């Protein structure tokens, strides 16, 4: 699984806010971080021969690729070199004009950028993306409604009670929450004012058209060419669109964006006059403007792959909103060396090998996954209780019930929460990075040191480990023990009473990506004995079909010849004494027709036998009219057919003789060690996916099922059968305890279990899928282990 393209400090340069007014036109309000420098374009001249360009051309191309800071035309600074300018102080040119540091962003004047980043209304609430050399600007412009008023007019309810002081507050609440739920359902509002009523006429300020017609929060990107599309789409879908909608909600409620923009523009004008340093001015703006502070939070959080928590201090109360780009919490394979951000992630195939059909089955996911909280349970409960709402109590109960050893299905079986609530809250915690979904931890499973663990964090992690588990072995020693020969995790605990503590230690290691589960995957292996048996049966069935076909063909030929001879005997040849029948075109025929038609004694069909229909008569007449083959052609055709029949009969006889010479199949107790001479030319065959097989593979599976016993008994593993040993070890050493009750029927369980033998479903999950006891599932698998090829990986 390839890692998604995420923003970082190299491809995400900053954010900028541009507004548009009817009177002033576009205005570049604010940008963060303060210094957004123009990135250096990669030079392609290094790979070209030097003799193709002279020194003058090199200097010219260098100036074109790295243009200097653009000062006003025809003017240069007095004493300061632009190349060494710190982009914090103001500069003054020879003509007396002033170069303001915040009026140039990414190497371009803000006067030019504000016009470029003000699209027309056609891009309202759509992705607006423009490229400027190696830079990419992505945004989601928001325009004022057609009536020119940002505040939405609240619809009157169908039934409105009479206006009175008693129902004024309830009407206010109704109007406020209807707008909130219809526009931005993800935003939380706190301390919202409730003094506006639906019945009251709007204020004069609301009746006036707003001076701001558009605002646009722009993300300035510097992506690689092959990453540009995916990076822009990720930012647009998860960040840009949602933040602009939050700003739109605040603008509609209290004209927030424009009021904050006016405050920022006033501070910038004041700083321009007083030549305030950019660093000082930006600190002042961030202190007084929550809009500017939210832009800072967005950049700092998104560029470092964190959750951006916004708080907009509007006139009607605080509006809070959180955004993030969801990132995978696991990897299926080791990351490349140039991807250091993936180091330390949990590595597993438990999530990626899930079939698409199973993803749509809530029961499948509930049984296969548990919730592992990424921080302390008490801390998460305190965060939930600090912001109470109608779901706080249920979510707190969910956190208390969620254990890494209990699946979602087990939690949903209780009385406190329904399965739907469990799934909903689990998705919520996973999305906001408070938890991850893992297969339920079990003491009989095998866990190893993760090959993707970040050893650079080992010293600090060792200290946290010592504080969390003061009586446990040191973290380096414990990890070294787990990196030795794989064994079930319960063997690490000194006694059975220590297992709960050691399971808590395992959860701590899983949370930090230090360990991963070593799972067992199986394929069905068909031994030569079974291959020979199925091939022998198929060959016998083919010979039987050919024999029946020959008998049916001979019977058909006999019947045909008998029918032709009987037909010839029933219709004797005409004698010479009989008068010839007139031709249809002869005068005699026409004379007879006229006579019969005139007299009306016989119908026109009297010349045709009564037993023949009109269609049969037509076909027979066409057969008589068609030219017949000569005697020589008929003899040649008959000879050709005889030769083909003789050849087919000879080949069938040869096949039957060869089949008769073959040794009949003989079933042995252990087909895996059958080294009979007639099997020497056959090699074992592996069925890659036993759940999706063809006709021949289905015969193999049926033949294996017939060899399985109908009752699990004490199973003696053959020393030369490596697959049996692997499956027995994966069961946690339960092979010798296979003496189970008569209710375990391997032959009946074989058609149920073979869908898991595809190399993608871990055998450790079979008990969860089939609602069986773990010991019973492994006893059945051990009884089938002679026909399983087992592999182990994460």
């Amino acid at each position: 699984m390839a890692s998604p393209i995420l923003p970082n400090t190299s491809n995400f340069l900053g954010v900028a806010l541009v507004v548009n007014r009817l009177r002033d036109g576009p205005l570049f309000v604010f940008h963060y971080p303060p210094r957004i420098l123009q990135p250096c374009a990669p030079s392609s001249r290094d790979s070209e021969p030097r003799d193709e360009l002279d020194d003058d051309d090199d200097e010219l191309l260098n100036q074109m690729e790295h243009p200097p800071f653009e000062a006003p035309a025809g003017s240069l600074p007095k004493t300061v070199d632009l190349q060494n300018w710190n982009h914090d102080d103001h500069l003054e040119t020879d003509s007396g004009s002033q170069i303001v540091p915040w009026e140039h962003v990414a190497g371009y004047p803000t006067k030019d950028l504000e016009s470029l980043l003000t699209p027309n209304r056609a891009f309202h609430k759509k992705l607006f993306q423009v490229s400027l050399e190696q830079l990419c600007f992505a945004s989601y412009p928001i325009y004022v409604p057609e009536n020119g008023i940002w505040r939405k007019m609240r619809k009157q309810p169908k039934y409105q009670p009479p206006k009175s002081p008693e129902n004024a507050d309830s009407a206010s609440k109704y109007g406020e929450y209807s707008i909130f739920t219809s526009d931005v359902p993800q935003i939380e509002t706190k301390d919202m004012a409730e003094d506006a009523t639906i019945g009251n006429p709007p204020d004069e300020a609301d009746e006036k058209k707003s001076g701001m017609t558009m605002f646009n929060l722009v993300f300035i990107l510097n992506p690689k060419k092959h990453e540009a599309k995916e990076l822009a789409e990720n930012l647009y879908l998860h960040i840009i669109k949602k933040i602009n909608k939050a700003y739109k909600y605040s603008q509609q409620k209290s004209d927030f964006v424009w009021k904050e923009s006016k405050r920022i523009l006033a501070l910038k004008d004041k700083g321009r006059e007083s030549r305030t340093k950019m660093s000082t001015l930006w600190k002042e703006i961030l202190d007084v403007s929550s809009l500017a502070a939210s832009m800072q939070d967005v950049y700092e959080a998104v560029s470092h792959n964190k959750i951006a928590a916004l708080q907009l201090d509007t006139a009607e109360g605080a509006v809070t909103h959180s955004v993030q780009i969801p990132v995978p919490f696991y990897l299926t394979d080791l990351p490349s060396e140039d991807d250091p951000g993936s180091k330390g992630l949990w590595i597993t195939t438990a999530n990626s090998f899930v079939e698409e059909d199973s993803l749509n089955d809530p029961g499948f996911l509930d049984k296969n996954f548990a919730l592992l909280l990424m921080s302390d349970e008490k801390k998460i409960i305190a965060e939930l209780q600090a912001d109470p709402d109608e779901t706080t109590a249920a979510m707190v109960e969910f956190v208390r019930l969620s254990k890494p050893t209990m699946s979602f299905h087990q939690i949903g079986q209780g009385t406190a929460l329904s399965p739907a609530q469990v799934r909903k809250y689990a998705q919520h915690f996973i999305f906001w990075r408070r938890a991850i979904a893992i297969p339920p931890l079990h003491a009989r499973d095998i866990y190893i040191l993760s090959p993707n663990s970040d050893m650079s964090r080992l010293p600090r992690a060792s200290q946290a480990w010592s504080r969390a588990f003061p009586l446990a072995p040191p973290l380096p020693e414990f990890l070294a023990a787990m990196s030795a020969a794989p064994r079930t995790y319960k063997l690490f605990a000194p006694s059975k009473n220590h297992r709960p503590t050691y399971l808590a230690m395992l959860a701590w290691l899983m949370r930090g990506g230090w360990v991963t589960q070593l799972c067992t995957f199986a394929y069905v292996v068909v031994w030569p004995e079974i291959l020979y048996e199925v091939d022998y049966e198929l060959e016998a069935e083919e010979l039987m079909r050919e024999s029946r076909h020959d008998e049916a063909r001979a019977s058909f030929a006999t019947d045909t010849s008998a029918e032709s001879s009987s037909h010839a005997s029933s219709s004797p040849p005409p004698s010479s004494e009989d008068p010839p029948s007139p031709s249809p075109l002869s005068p005699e025929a026409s004379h007879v027709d006229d006579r019969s038609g005139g007299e009306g004694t016989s119908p026109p069909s009297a010349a045709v036998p009564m037993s023949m229909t009109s269609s049969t008569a037509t076909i027979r007449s066409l057969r008589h009219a068609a030219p017949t083959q000569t005697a020589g052609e008929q003899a040649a055709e008959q000879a050709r057919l005889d030769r083909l029949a003789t050849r087919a009969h000879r080949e069938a006889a040869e096949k039957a003789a060869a089949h008769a010479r073959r040794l009949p199949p003989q079933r042995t107790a252990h087909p895996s060690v059958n080294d009979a001479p007639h099997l020497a030319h056959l090699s074992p065959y592996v069925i890659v996916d036993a759940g999706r097989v063809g006709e021949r593979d289905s015969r193999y599976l049926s033949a294996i099922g017939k060899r399985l016993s109908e009752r699990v008994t004490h199973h003696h593993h053959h020393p030369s059968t490596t697959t049996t040993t692997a499956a027995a070890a994966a069961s946690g050493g339960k092979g010798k305890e296979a003496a189970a009750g008569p209710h375990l029927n391997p032959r009946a369980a074989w058609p149920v279990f073979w869908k898991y033998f595809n190399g993608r479903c871990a055998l450790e999950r079979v008990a969860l899928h089939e609602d069986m006891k773990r010991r019973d599932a492994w006893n059945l698998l051990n009884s089938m282990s002679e026909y399983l090829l087992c592999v182990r990986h994460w």
Side-chain angles (χ1 to χ4, degrees), residues 191-262:
D191 302 329
M192 299 296 286
E194 298 182 356
D195 53 353
T197 62
I198 293 179
N200 294 339
D203 299 334
E204 294 182 359
D206 294 337
E207 293 178 348
K208 296 180 181 179
K209 292 189 176 183
S210 175
M212 185 183 69
T213 61
M214 187 273 306
F215 68 86
N216 190 17
L217 183 66
V218 184
F219 283 62
I220 306 173
L221 310 176
N222 179 34
K224 298 178 182 178
K225 184 174 294 185
H226 66 281
E227 299 177 350
K229 182 178 180 181
E230 183 178 354
L231 178 62
E233 288 179 353
N234 285 337
L235 281 171
Y236 170 74
L237 182 62
H238 301 288
I239 304 296
I240 301 175
K241 189 176 180 180
K242 294 181 179 180
I243 291 180
N244 277 281
K245 283 187 175 182
Y247 286 172
K248 175 190 174 184
Y249 172 78
S250 302
Q251 174 66 19
Q252 290 176 340
K253 293 293 293 182
S254 59
D255 205 21
F256 170 76
V257 177
W258 174 236
K259 290 179 180 178
E260 292 292 309
S261 298
K262 287 194 298 183

Side-chain angles (χ1 to χ4, degrees), residues 4 30 173 228 410:
F30 186 72
K173 293 181 181 180
Q410 292 173 314

Side-chain angles (χ1 to χ4, degrees), residues 51 66 85-86 160 259 279 336 362 414 480 494 497 503 534 555 606 608 659 734 747 754-755:
D51 54 5
H66 306 281
W85 184 36
N86 58 6
Q160 183 176 356
K259 290 179 180 178
S279 57
S336 58
N497 295 332
L503 285 175
V534 172
S555 176
V608 182
H659 180 72
K734 290 295 176 183
R747 184 178 299 179
W754 73 39
K755 61 186 175 183

